[in-house]
Amino acid sequence: MSNAATAIAQAHTEAQEKKAAKATKNASRARSFQETVDRKAAAPIATLEAVKALIPTDVQAAAIARAFAIDEVDTDEVFGAGYNSVMDEIKIMEPILATTVNGEKNYRALEMHMQRIVGARVASAFGQAQFYETKRQAAREMSSGFTNENRDEDRMGIDGQANRAAFAREFAAQLGMKAYGLSALADGAAKAYAEYFGSEWKPYSRTSARSLDRQIADAQADALGF
């Protein structure tokens, strides 16, 4: 084979290898993207109901405060803080985000913004509630005589400090009270949202966004006599 033919064959081989490597790289990116989408779809959605299912009830919170000498959460005050902060922001942002179309006020941008603001408070409460539940279960396992026959966790350490099981219970109790407080804040924020916009707060989803857009489009079309 001549030098020219050899060079052409080598260049062709290299081009094919680069093409194959690029295809592999693109396929890997596609897989990574799909895996991310799948993980996001499988992740639990932060809702007020999901938070309430994980945090202590009012009775349990009071019992935790007594048993662990933790200050009780003033839920009325925290609820009011969540409510007032959202209402205050709505009043400030309304003239900026609300627009007028054919003499009618359109609050879509304002509603989307506040949906995310309230959603952040709910997500914070949900994250704390999940953390609490994880540590509560861990403390339960460590404190259970059925799962820890030797009960080494309940023996006092040589340094005189509290045993591991007691520490786990106290840590879980503190987390529970934090989740309880954040839930009250999220409740107040959602209440303000519902009062202003006339509909309950719901976590963002493509479906709910399309539904709201459709409602707005229908109302605008009706106003225009379409």
Side-chain angles (χ1 to χ4, degrees), residues 2 6 17 38-39 54 79-80 82-83 111-112 135 137 144 150 164 183 189 208 218:
S2 67
T6 300
E17 290 176 348
D38 292 341
R39 283 196 301 271
L54 295 174
F79 180 94
Y83 179 93
E111 186 169 0
M112 289 179 65
K135 295 305 180 182
Q137 291 292 349
S144 173
N150 295 325
R164 290 174 57 202
S183 174
S208 64
D218 289 344

Side-chain angles (χ1 to χ4, degrees), residues 72-110:
E72 289 193 54
V73 175
D74 187 339
T75 52
D76 289 339
E77 181 179 11
V78 177
F79 180 94
Y83 179 93
N84 292 331
S85 65
V86 167
M87 277 299 188
D88 288 344
E89 184 161 346
I90 287 175
K91 292 175 183 177
I92 293 172
M93 299 307 297
E94 179 181 341
I96 299 173
L97 296 178
T99 56
T100 301
V101 179
N102 294 325
E104 295 290 333
K105 275 289 189 73
N106 185 323
Y107 296 93
R108 173 58 172 156
L110 178 63

Side-chain angles (χ1 to χ4, degrees), residues 30 52 113:
K52 297 294 178 59
H113 170 70

Side-chain angles (χ1 to χ4, degrees), residues 152-166:
D152 287 338
E153 292 84 354
D154 277 339
R155 294 176 182 172
M156 187 67 72
I158 58 174
D159 57 357
Q161 297 299 313
N163 58 67
R164 290 174 57 202

Side-chain angles (χ1 to χ4, degrees), residues 11-154:
H12 178 72
T13 300
E14 291 177 353
Q16 290 296 103
E17 290 176 348
K18 288 182 179 179
K19 184 177 180 180
K22 184 177 181 180
T24 300
K25 187 175 182 180
N26 289 338
S28 178
R29 286 179 175 175
R31 283 195 302 272
S32 297
F33 175 77
Q34 188 58 48
E35 289 172 359
T36 300
V37 171
D38 292 341
R39 283 196 301 271
K40 186 175 181 180
I45 299 176
T47 64
L48 290 170
E49 291 75 15
V51 173
K52 297 294 178 59
L54 295 174
I55 66 170
T57 63
D58 294 342
V59 173
Q60 289 171 335
I64 288 173
R66 290 192 303 269
F68 294 91
I70 299 174
D71 290 338
E72 289 193 54
V73 175
D74 187 339
T75 52
D76 289 339
E77 181 179 11
V78 177
F79 180 94
Y83 179 93
N84 292 331
S85 65
V86 167
M87 277 299 188
D88 288 344
E89 184 161 346
I90 287 175
K91 292 175 183 177
I92 293 172
M93 299 307 297
E94 179 181 341
I96 299 173
L97 296 178
T99 56
T100 301
V101 179
N102 294 325
E104 295 290 333
K105 275 289 189 73
N106 185 323
Y107 296 93
R108 173 58 172 156
L110 178 63
E111 186 169 0
M112 289 179 65
H113 170 70
M114 296 313 303
Q115 193 277 341
R116 297 185 183 106
I117 294 300
V118 176
R121 287 165 169 76
V122 176
S124 178
F126 186 54
Q128 186 68 43
Q130 287 180 303
F131 190 34
Y132 159 66
E133 179 60 17
T134 298
K135 295 305 180 182
R136 188 186 73 86
Q137 291 292 349
R140 180 180 181 181
E141 291 295 314
M142 293 180 67
S143 301
S144 173
F146 294 102
T147 56
N148 292 283
E149 295 181 359
N150 295 325
R151 301 299 299 275
D152 287 338
E153 292 84 354
D154 277 339

